[in-house]
Amino acid sequence: MAINEIFPNPTVKQVIFQIRFPCLFSIESLIGTYQTRIMERFPKSELLLSRHFLLGPVPDSGQRKEVSEEQDIGAIKKIWKFTTESGVILNVQVDSLDISSTVHKTYKNPRGKERFRDIIEFVLHHFFDVTQIPKVNRIGLRYIDECPVKSKRNVIFRNYYNTTLPLERFPLTDALEMAFTARAKRGKYFLTFREALSETSGKSNLILDFDGYAENMKASDCLAVTDSLHDLISQEYEASIKQPVYRYMRKKGKSE
């Protein structure tokens, strides 16, 4: 069951939603209409230009015709960036749309004033209405959590986390950096899980990174699929932490 509590001090530092779709050649002519649809919530806008560089030998003139636009040296990629007053960022490209937030504390809790699901629903409703895209290649939801490391003693660390790190072989007292990555299939969905411990300026940090995604879905199913991905990520998060982390998140301060 997904966590139904809103924490004053959550460990989540960033949540990202993304859809990828076949290259939409009409996006440049439609972006103005889309902008007016979302301007109430995303009043700030700018056009970013990203230059793609091809690493490797430069093709000669005889090979040039076979090089795609994506591979073309110096090719310019446009990114239409929209931002809310609170700092939530929406990026639209010819083949993708993503939303990034560092301010949301809940996905869909009815007691929450700002829910990440509401932003996703608003953005997708107007995007699909304007573009008429029938399907998407990929739907992704990613949560990045920065979790407290109260002690570098293995026994205390394990009181906080059901860790995947090999602490018996590499004790925390000696470790400067450790990481574990797993990619798994869960029913018709996929999950990439990363757990990483690092030390900066004498302070240890534990990062829990949950990246859930689905492939080849109808546009009309995007929100329902995202709900399922959120439930999957929430279950994995609950499987990773123990009661001291819940107590940490319930406190309004950063210390316990």
Side-chain angles (χ1 to χ4, degrees), residues 225-236:
V225 170
T226 306
D227 287 343
S228 296
L229 292 176
H230 173 265
D231 290 343
L232 173 61
I233 289 172
S234 183
Q235 291 165 11
E236 291 297 328

Side-chain angles (χ1 to χ4, degrees), residues 29-239:
S29 63
L30 297 173
I31 200 69
T33 301
Y34 183 59
Q35 180 184 13
T36 60
R37 295 280 195 95
I38 65 172
M39 191 176 291
E40 182 180 355
R41 293 198 191 184
F42 291 85
K44 304 176 184 178
S45 59
E46 57 185 308
L47 173 62
L48 306 178
L49 301 177
S50 175
R51 185 178 295 276
H52 175 83
F53 292 97
L54 178 66
L55 298 179
V58 177
D60 59 32
S61 57
Q63 298 173 310
R64 190 66 174 180
K65 294 179 181 179
E66 299 178 6
V67 179
S68 69
E69 181 180 351
E70 179 67 19
Q71 295 172 314
D72 196 8
I73 299 174
I76 299 296
K77 195 169 189 178
K78 292 183 177 180
I79 304 172
W80 290 273
K81 179 181 177 181
F82 307 95
T83 310
T84 68
E85 294 291 353
S86 62
V88 179
I89 296 173
L90 164 64
N91 293 313
V92 180
Q93 301 184 52
V94 295
D95 57 0
S96 68
L97 175 153
D98 64 80
I99 309 168
S100 176
S101 173
T102 59
V103 298
H104 283 87
K105 293 185 177 182
T106 182
Y107 175 75
K108 62 177 180 179
N109 192 303
R111 294 182 287 109
K113 293 182 179 180
E114 292 203 19
R115 296 170 293 202
F116 193 57
R117 186 185 191 273
D118 294 341
I119 288 287
I120 296 174
E121 183 176 24
F122 173 79
V123 165
L124 291 185
H125 169 72
H126 291 293
F127 186 74
F128 292 143
D129 193 43
V130 169
T131 63
Q132 296 297 303
I133 293 175
K135 64 173 292 184
V136 296
N137 297 337
R138 188 181 189 274
I139 306 169
L141 185 66
R142 184 179 181 186
Y143 275 75
I144 301 174
D145 290 79
E146 185 178 309
C147 302
V149 177
K150 294 297 181 180
S151 171
K152 294 198 71 174
R153 293 174 55 196
N154 283 6
V155 63
I156 295 179
F157 185 79
R158 285 198 169 109
N159 284 338
Y160 276 72
Y161 304 104
N162 290 311
T163 184
T164 59
L165 301 177
L167 301 186
E168 293 300 333
R169 184 173 179 180
F170 302 102
L172 282 179
T173 52
D174 301 326
L176 299 177
E177 184 176 354
M178 275 193 286
F180 171 85
T181 300
R183 182 172 177 265
K185 187 174 182 181
R186 296 295 174 84
K188 58 184 177 180
Y189 304 128
F190 301 89
L191 176 74
T192 299
F193 168 74
R194 303 175 184 90
E195 180 179 359
L197 180 76
S198 62
E199 185 171 310
T200 305
S201 301
K203 180 182 178 182
S204 296
N205 294 296
L206 180 70
I207 301 298
L208 298 177
D209 187 338
F210 307 88
D211 189 355
Y213 63 98
E215 297 178 329
N216 300 318
M217 295 288 175
K218 294 180 180 179
S220 57
D221 293 337
C222 271
L223 199 59
V225 170
T226 306
D227 287 343
S228 296
L229 292 176
H230 173 265
D231 290 343
L232 173 61
I233 289 172
S234 183
Q235 291 165 11
E236 291 297 328
Y237 178 73
E238 288 184 89

